[in-house]
Amino acid sequence: MKLRFPHSEQFPELEDRSDPMVTLVETWVSVVKNSAGIRAQALRRPVDAASRIYQELQKRLFKPGLPSNFKEALIALAMADLKSDIDTKNLLYGWFKGEDRKIQVPEDYLRQPDGLRNVVSGKSRVLRPIGRGTARSALGALLWLIKQVGCSGLVLCIDEIEELAKLRLQNRRDQALQALREHVDNAGGDDFGGLCLYLAATPEMFENPAYFPRYEALQTRIQQVGKGINWRGPVVDLEKTPLEETEMKGIAKKIVDAYQIAYGEAATEWVTDSVIGSLVLEVLENRERTGKPRLLARKMVEMLHEKRSFEGEGDPNSGQEILVDA
C-alpha cells in the first residue's frame, strides 16, 4: 500500500506536497469542489457555490461512525477554502495534524447556506484537539479520508517502541501495551482496513519479563511459533534475517519508487541500476556498527535529496562519491 497524491497537473494548487497531511485534506477539498462543479481555474464561481459545496459535503460525510468533530473540521475546511479564509484553514491544518490545542471556527461554516444571502452570525464553534480518548476513532477517520481521495491505504511506521518502557506509571505502560495488542487483533479488519502498521523495538522489549512478556494478552499474539523464520508473522527478528546484496538493492529501488511518488519522475530518472549497485557495495563494505539496511536507507535518501537540492547543476551522479564516503 502506498499513499499516492494527485499529480500537480490534475490539481495545480497542490504543487507543494511537502506536508502530507495538508496535501491530503487539500486534495479531498479539491475532489469535493470538482464534484460540486466548482473548478479551481474558473474565472467566476457559480452564485450558489456555497450551497453546492454544502450539499456535496452532506452526501460525502453521511457515514455512520465518522467522528462528529472530524466531520465538522472537514466541512469548515471546505467552506474556508471557498471563502479564501487562510487563517481558519491554517488552524484546521494544525488540528488535523494533531496539535494539542483547541481551535475555533466560524459557526456559519457549519450551517447550510441561506440561499444567496451572506448571513454572518459572528459565532464560533470550538473543536477540541485529538487526544487519547479520540485517537482510535481519528485513525479510522483518517483511513476513510485517505481512501476518499483514491489511495489504497496507509503505511504507518513507528520506531523506538522501547520508549514505552520509560513511562513512569505501570498502568500507562499497560495501556500502551493494550493498544499494541488491539492493533495486532485488528490487522486486516474492517475498523482499520487499509492500514499497514510497522513497529520497531529493541530485543530487550521481547525478552525482558517486565515488558512485552509481562502483558500476556500481547505476548501470546506475537511470540514465535517454531524455529523457522515466518516473513508474514506478526514479528520478524531482524538479527536473524540479514539481507543479501540482491535484497539490499531491492530496498534501494523501493526507496527510489517512494521518492518518485513524492517528487515526480524527474527527481529519480538519473538513478540507474549501476548507481544503486555501487551504493549497495559501498554500504556492505562499510565497517560502521550501524545496521546495513538503515545505513543504506539513509545514504540513498541523502543522495536523492542532494540531487534534488542542486537540480540542474551538473552531473546528477557527481554527488554520489561524496555521500557514500561521508
Side-chain angles (χ1 to χ4, degrees), residues 181-192:
R181 190 269 303 166
E182 290 177 353
H183 279 299
V184 174
D185 286 349
N186 290 323
D190 294 335
D191 290 344
F192 297 111

Side-chain angles (χ1 to χ4, degrees), residues 205-263:
M205 292 295 292
F206 296 89
E207 300 166 359
N208 191 320
Y211 300 144
F212 289 166
R214 180 185 177 280
Y215 193 75
E216 185 177 359
L218 174 63
Q219 178 67 9
T220 55
R221 287 163 170 79
I222 65 174
Q223 64 185 2
Q224 183 174 345
V225 178
K227 297 182 179 180
I229 298 174
N230 181 7
W231 291 97
R232 296 184 180 274
V235 176
V236 177
D237 189 338
L238 298 182
E239 292 185 347
K240 297 179 180 178
T241 55
L243 301 181
E244 303 296 334
E245 180 180 345
T246 301
E247 294 163 326
M248 293 281 278
K249 289 180 179 179
I251 289 178
K253 290 180 179 179
K254 289 183 181 297
I255 293 173
V256 173
D257 290 343
Y259 204 86
Q260 181 176 315
I261 292 171
Y263 299 108

Side-chain angles (χ1 to χ4, degrees), residues 57-127:
L57 290 169
Q58 291 298 304
K59 289 191 297 183
R60 290 179 176 271
L61 297 177
F62 186 72
K63 177 186 180 300
L66 199 62
S68 59
N69 60 346
F70 202 86
K71 291 181 183 179
E72 291 179 345
L74 287 174
I75 293 172
L77 180 64
M79 302 307 287
D81 180 83
L82 186 66
K83 297 180 180 296
S84 300
D85 184 350
I86 302 300
D87 291 337
T88 298
K89 289 177 66 175
N90 285 333
L91 287 174
L92 288 163
Y93 292 154
W95 187 89
F96 280 110
K97 289 191 285 187
E99 291 183 359
D100 188 19
R101 59 170 177 163
K102 294 186 293 186
I103 66 170
Q104 293 184 345
V105 298
E107 197 169 271
D108 299 308
Y109 289 174
L110 306 177
R111 294 176 176 174
Q112 184 169 357
D114 186 11
L116 303 181
R117 293 184 299 164
N118 187 20
V119 180
V120 179
S121 68
K123 297 181 180 180
S124 298
R125 180 75 60 87
V126 175
L127 293 181

